[in-house]
Amino acid sequence: MSAPAFESLFRAAGVTGWLYATDIDTGHEVGRGADEPLPTASMYKVALLIALCRQAEAGVLDLAARVTVTAADRVTGPTGLSAMLDDVTISLRDLAYLMIAVSDNTSADKLLALVGFDAVNGMLAEFGLKDTRVVQGAGEMNASMGRDAGHAWPFVDPDDIARLSALDPARANCSTPREMARLFAMIWRDEAASPESCAWMRTVLNMQVWPHRLASGFPYDDVAVSGKTGTLPTLRCESGVVEYPDGARYAVSVFTRSFSTALIQPRADAVIGTAARMAVDHLRR
Amino acid sequence: MLIVDLVRHLRYFVVVAEELHFGNAAIRLGMAQPPLSQRIKRLEEELGVRLFDRSARQVRLTEEGRLLLGEAREIVSRVERLHELARQGRGTVLRVGVPPDLGPTVLAALVAAFRESSPEVRLAPAEIWTADQVTALAEGAIDVGLVRHPVTAPGLRFGQVLVQTQGVLLAEGDPLTGVGEVHLADLAGRELLMPPKEGEPGWHAEVLAECRGHNFVPAQVHEGAGLGMVLAGAAVAFGPRVELPGLAWRPLLGSPIASRVSTAWRAVTAAGADFSAVAVRTLKESAGMSDEVAAPVRRVSRRPGMLA
């Protein structure tokens, strides 16, 4: 049957959208602009999470080792250690939990400093994800916006937003809907790292707190939704996995850019879930 | 060809001629399609004429078939009448109860299949809800029942339990018909049509508990067997897949609603045992029922907001 009417759905929510969804076990797929390189915002943290696990498995890092995060490490962000005031001593795996569950920027940058860009990008190349790369941490992403706009947050002027390099896939962290879904499918198929590491990553990704995007499309007790969001001015996205009661599993990635520069747009958040539901429903027909 | 065989083949011919569709005819006869096709071919050989034109996409009577149809009808009905008279003379009757919402095609298939397997016994079906069947069995008003579980009554014995996964019936204009699969929670705000609570207390309790657990609490539960309320867009109903004008059927995500049925009796009789065996076979073939397997444990996903 023909693909669902994603375009009119996105338009009604005031966004342009790109998406890709695949049945993890059969490979059936549906997409719209699935191979478009797009800025990933905080979704790069998933690649960092996998690289962290692989380094721990290789004996380079110890996930239980503790580090102390001080004011010097703190970067801008509304959640987790970024929002706290005092020094924190914490294990690497708990930093990873904060990085995923509440998208904590300080935790992410602390881990990125330990893992390194080369390890993350080398791993992505090894996975064959040629359009996915990580070139900046959260602190640098925030700093670039201040430099590009010439002033501090908020960035709501359309001219300012047009200048943001953080939104330019050629200069910022980037991926495609298909490749983000593939990263998730690899975690769910135990291919991204060892089965034990993949099981832990699934647990952490399932603890993400945000209910307004992917999860909003599946408001059912018996459907599990795991994922990682990404947000920058006019950019809202989430990639993740939806697990149905019959055991079927779907890796989904949805990117949107809103026409309006307003920061609060519940319909733009919700359309990520609605589009994902439509895609999964299509794959199940 | 023996006379009995010829009459049976003529009956197949009449039903196929009425349906002009081998699949539909096979359902009515309570048999599979390939043997039906074979028997029609065998009859054509016996009579030396082609009865149906099967070259086109649809089945058509040939000129010869059209001429022979009237005669065939006459013979079949006379032989049926003969059997009927003989049966009344012998007086073996099996009184069975079936749920009124079993569906006309299923009941017809059940009667046809039983007639085929036990031609000497006359089947007297009555449409009765489960609770009333239990009473009728206790009073000896019926010999065998076809009941919906959960049901218990002292002294009642059950045949093999079969399961039918149900979907939801919606009015054609309902916005939910746009999706391939409906979750019970999606039905929020709609009213529900169920069989009468007095007649199906176990089913009522089970279905409504399942609905409540899945965030569908119907503002009103209507009782009845007809689907008029659904057609009118005033309620939704659960049931097996059907194609009816004005209605749309959709599977339920997670298959939460499953009806379990079995035959039930108090005293074992040969005819009753035959009916039980025929019922299992026919319900699997004509009503999409399958052997009971342990119900899947309902998994509840964990989302951080649930306890925040």
Side-chain angles (χ1 to χ4, degrees), chain A residues 210-219 225 269-274, chain B residues 303:
Chain A
W210 318 119
H212 59 324
R213 291 193 181 158
L214 195 52
S216 74
F218 306 88
V225 180
D269 291 312
V271 78
I272 291 174
T274 316
Chain B
R303 298 192 189 181

Side-chain angles (χ1 to χ4, degrees), chain A residues 47-275:
Chain A
L48 176 55
L49 175 72
I50 302 172
L52 174 73
C53 281
R54 291 164 70 94
Q55 289 208 341
E57 285 168 21
V60 179
L61 291 174
D62 175 5
L63 288 181
R66 282 154 194 269
V67 291
T68 297
V69 181
T70 66
D73 297 310
R74 196 156 276 131
V75 298
T76 310
T79 58
L81 302 186
S82 306
M84 296 182 187
L85 300 174
D86 299 313
D87 292 357
V88 173
T89 298
I90 186 170
S91 70
L92 301 191
R93 61 185 171 200
D94 285 347
L95 283 175
Y97 157 74
L98 287 176
M99 166 177 82
I100 298 298
V102 295
S103 201
D104 179 14
N105 288 338
T106 299
S107 295
D109 275 11
K110 191 78 186 169
L111 290 173
L112 186 54
L114 291 166
V115 173
F117 289 104
D118 290 348
V120 178
N121 290 314
M123 174 195 81
L124 293 169
E126 196 185 309
F127 288 169
L129 303 175
K130 60 179 178 48
D131 291 319
T132 305
R133 64 180 173 271
V134 178
V135 297
Q136 56 189 180
E140 169 53 22
M141 209 185 294
N142 286 330
S144 79
M145 288 196 285
R147 279 198 310 273
D148 297 339
H151 60 82
W153 194 87
F155 311 108
V156 288
D157 179 334
D159 292 335
D160 285 350
I161 288 166
R163 283 196 295 271
L164 299 184
S165 59
L167 289 171
D168 178 1
R171 290 181 282 170
N173 296 338
C174 86
S175 185
T176 66
R178 185 190 303 273
E179 293 195 352
M180 279 310 302
R182 262 194 61 200
L183 266 187
F184 272 90
M186 287 178 76
I187 297 173
W188 258 254
R189 277 199 302 254
D190 287 345
E191 291 169 5
S194 72
E196 297 73 30
S197 296
C198 286
W200 174 69
M201 287 191 277
R202 290 194 290 268
T203 307
V204 171
L205 288 160
N206 185 240
M207 287 195 279
Q208 186 192 217
V209 298
W210 318 119
H212 59 324
R213 291 193 181 158
L214 195 52
S216 74
F218 306 88
Y220 314 123
D221 283 3
D222 47 0
V223 175
V225 180
S226 310
K228 181 72 200 79
T229 56
T231 312
L232 282 172
T234 68
L235 172 73
R236 291 169 184 79
C237 43
E238 184 163 0
S239 304
V241 168
V242 180
E243 295 170 90
Y244 267 50
D246 60 4
R249 321 177 285 173
Y250 306 89
V252 188
S253 178
V254 186
F255 289 69
T256 70
R257 289 290 303 271
S258 61
F259 307 138
S260 159
T261 59
L263 298 167
I264 298 176
Q265 293 192 44
R267 284 187 311 138
D269 291 312
V271 78
I272 291 174
T274 316

Side-chain angles (χ1 to χ4, degrees), chain B residues 70-150:
Chain B
E71 286 298 317
R73 271 211 183 101
E74 181 82 12
I75 294 166
V76 169
S77 61
R78 276 177 181 269
V79 171
E80 273 177 0
R81 174 90 185 127
L82 186 75
H83 281 303
E84 188 63 36
L85 290 170
R87 253 178 244 138
Q88 282 175 9
R90 278 202 309 273
T92 312
V93 174
L94 185 71
R95 298 158 305 166
V96 301
V98 297
D101 58 347
L102 186 64
T105 52
V106 180
L107 180 56
L110 206 55
V111 171
F114 184 74
R115 192 175 288 156
E116 183 95 355
S117 84
S118 306
E120 72 290 352
V121 181
R122 191 169 70 88
L123 191 68
E127 296 193 335
I128 320 176
W129 296 110
T130 294
D132 302 322
Q133 287 191 43
V134 172
T135 312
L137 285 164
E139 290 169 349
I142 57 173
D143 303 304
V144 190
L146 187 65
V147 296
R148 208 179 251 125
H149 291 254

Side-chain angles (χ1 to χ4, degrees), chain A residues 203 206-210 215-216 218-225 243-247 277 280-281 284-285, chain B residues 177-186 213-215 250 253-254 256 298-306:
Chain A
T203 307
N206 185 240
M207 287 195 279
Q208 186 192 217
V209 298
W210 318 119
S216 74
F218 306 88
Y220 314 123
D221 283 3
D222 47 0
V223 175
V225 180
E243 295 170 90
Y244 267 50
D246 60 4
R277 171 74 195 277
V280 170
D281 190 65
R284 290 175 67 81
R285 288 197 187 205
Chain B
T177 57
V179 301
E181 206 176 15
V182 173
H183 193 282
L184 281 178
D186 300 334
H214 282 93
N215 199 17
R250 290 289 178 276
L253 201 165
R298 185 176 169 232
R299 194 189 55 170
V300 173
S301 71
R302 191 176 74 156
R303 298 192 189 181
M306 286 173 177

Side-chain angles (χ1 to χ4, degrees), chain B residues 26-237:
Chain B
I27 290 169
R28 245 179 77 184
L29 291 162
M31 63 193 291
Q33 188 177 332
L36 177 61
S37 299
Q38 269 168 22
R39 284 172 199 186
I40 293 296
K41 208 170 285 171
R42 175 84 185 77
L43 180 64
E44 288 178 330
E45 283 163 19
E46 175 73 23
L47 299 174
V49 291
R50 284 191 59 219
L51 298 169
F52 295 101
D53 185 356
R54 274 155 287 190
S55 54
R57 282 205 140 237
Q58 79 250 52
V59 177
R60 274 206 210 96
L61 269 173
T62 60
E63 189 56 26
E64 294 89 323
R66 208 175 53 77
L67 288 170
L68 292 173
L69 180 60
E71 286 298 317
R73 271 211 183 101
E74 181 82 12
I75 294 166
V76 169
S77 61
R78 276 177 181 269
V79 171
E80 273 177 0
R81 174 90 185 127
L82 186 75
H83 281 303
E84 188 63 36
L85 290 170
R87 253 178 244 138
Q88 282 175 9
R90 278 202 309 273
T92 312
V93 174
L94 185 71
R95 298 158 305 166
V96 301
V98 297
D101 58 347
L102 186 64
T105 52
V106 180
L107 180 56
L110 206 55
V111 171
F114 184 74
R115 192 175 288 156
E116 183 95 355
S117 84
S118 306
E120 72 290 352
V121 181
R122 191 169 70 88
L123 191 68
E127 296 193 335
I128 320 176
W129 296 110
T130 294
D132 302 322
Q133 287 191 43
V134 172
T135 312
L137 285 164
E139 290 169 349
I142 57 173
D143 303 304
V144 190
L146 187 65
V147 296
R148 208 179 251 125
H149 291 254
V151 58
T152 50
L156 209 57
R157 296 159 72 180
F158 301 106
Q160 187 192 336
V161 175
L162 297 177
V163 179
Q164 182 183 57
T165 301
Q166 303 206 335
V168 62
L169 281 156
L170 305 155
E172 217 167 41
D174 192 304
L176 278 180
T177 57
V179 301
E181 206 176 15
V182 173
H183 193 282
L184 281 178
D186 300 334
L187 298 173
R190 289 166 180 78
E191 297 180 359
L192 178 65
L193 173 68
M194 292 277 293
K197 186 178 181 179
E198 286 201 348
E200 298 289 342
W203 175 239
H204 246 258
E206 198 173 81
V207 168
L208 290 178
E210 201 66 27
C211 288
R212 246 197 335 273
H214 282 93
N215 199 17
F216 172 40
V217 184
Q220 196 177 339
V221 179
H222 303 274
E223 300 186 4
L227 291 169
M229 294 287 293
V230 180
L231 197 60
V236 299

Side-chain angles (χ1 to χ4, degrees), chain A residues 14-30:
Chain A
V15 304
T16 306
W18 301 262
L19 98 174
Y20 177 77
T22 180
D23 182 321
I24 291 177
D25 300 298
T26 68
H28 289 155
E29 55 178 10
V30 62

